[in-house]
Amino acid sequence: MLFRQQALETPHGDLQTPVLFPVSNIGKRSSDNTPEYTESVPDLSTAMVNARAIRNRDPQWERFEDGTPLREEMGVSEDTVVFADSGGFDFQDETVDTTPAKTLETQQQIDADIYGTVDVPLSRDNRQAENQRRISESIDLALEASRRHNGDEVLLGSVHGYDPETVRNSIQHLEREGDFDGYAIGSLVPIRTDYEKVTKIILAARRATDKHLHVYGLGGLTYQPLLLYLGVDSFDSSAFIRSAGNRNYLIPGFGGEPLKNVEELSHLPCACPVCSTRTFKAVRNDRDLLVQHNVWALALELRRFRYMAAADEDLEAYLDLRFAGNEVTKRAYRLAKQQVRRLT
């Protein structure tokens, strides 16, 4: 098993990994805004923000330029560790409209702790030549960021690829030519249902480097145990918001359950502060409460895995049970287990 626990030094304190970064839609005044959680979930003082989106919201950006701290704007404590990616997901259908210099300037201005380099995601709909061009462009943008970055913040080189060899070669090239604290694997969300492919790509990345490894966008309930097993150090997720928008109730070990399927119930099964003090109807009818519960569900999933490791339990046996009810994820885990055992 490749599960590991490390301490990542950041400007706002040491970060104990593995760790989840909930996606924060800071500044949005729409229905998918992020609830307050960093004070209520004590081991979740982390957030993932989109540097490009923040830069493009003129009134908010002007406040930052005038000296308003990001964490004050977010309503979180000063020691919250913030990961600012480049907003590359927006470039899936649009032309890249930023540069490594501009993105670094934005990340510095908002006082982020972890920087993701500018990247250009892949798409299954693209021709192979176009995806290869995007892979090369992301590498060039990462190397330019490496040359320009000289601060104390953690710099993660963003890497893309739809096969293990491409991802491994990309990381090894960046390691030779640049100076990175770790790497972040992207473009996996569009192929997330192909668990076997995703598992092979992540394992190739883990084998290519011993440095910090982040996976963009796959920090939901289903993937978390698999990422932990494969030795991923951090991951991010917006699943708690998107699921609540569909009135899906996240349950560790089960996934998401549409509450419309439940007719009569006095209380929900979770013992989190949201569910333990409110009736089923109160949570079901309040989207904000549902979002808050879903954050707790993601945090509890991670806590449970950490507990099993701290108690020196058989984690493979634990995961055998966790994936027993889903033939697709069970097959992906079995494949991962076979590959991992060959390495250890």
Side-chain angles (χ1 to χ4, degrees), residues 107-119:
Q107 292 161 328
Q108 289 167 348
Q109 180 69 49
I110 63 176
D111 199 18
D113 299 275
I114 304 175
Y115 298 175
T117 59
V118 179
D119 56 340

Side-chain angles (χ1 to χ4, degrees), residues 20 219-222 224 237-259 268-272 275 283 289-301 304:
L20 165 71
L221 282 180
T222 304
Q224 263 200 44
S237 178
S238 60
F240 59 100
I241 298 175
R242 290 183 287 101
S243 294
N246 295 321
R247 291 295 192 268
N248 281 346
Y249 182 79
L250 299 183
I251 311 173
F254 292 88
E257 178 65 32
L259 290 183
L268 286 156
C270 179
C272 78
C275 301
V283 178
L289 290 177
L290 197 50
V291 175
Q292 290 174 32
H293 156 76
N294 285 346
V295 173
W296 267 104
L298 295 177
L300 292 172
E301 179 72 271
R304 182 183 294 179

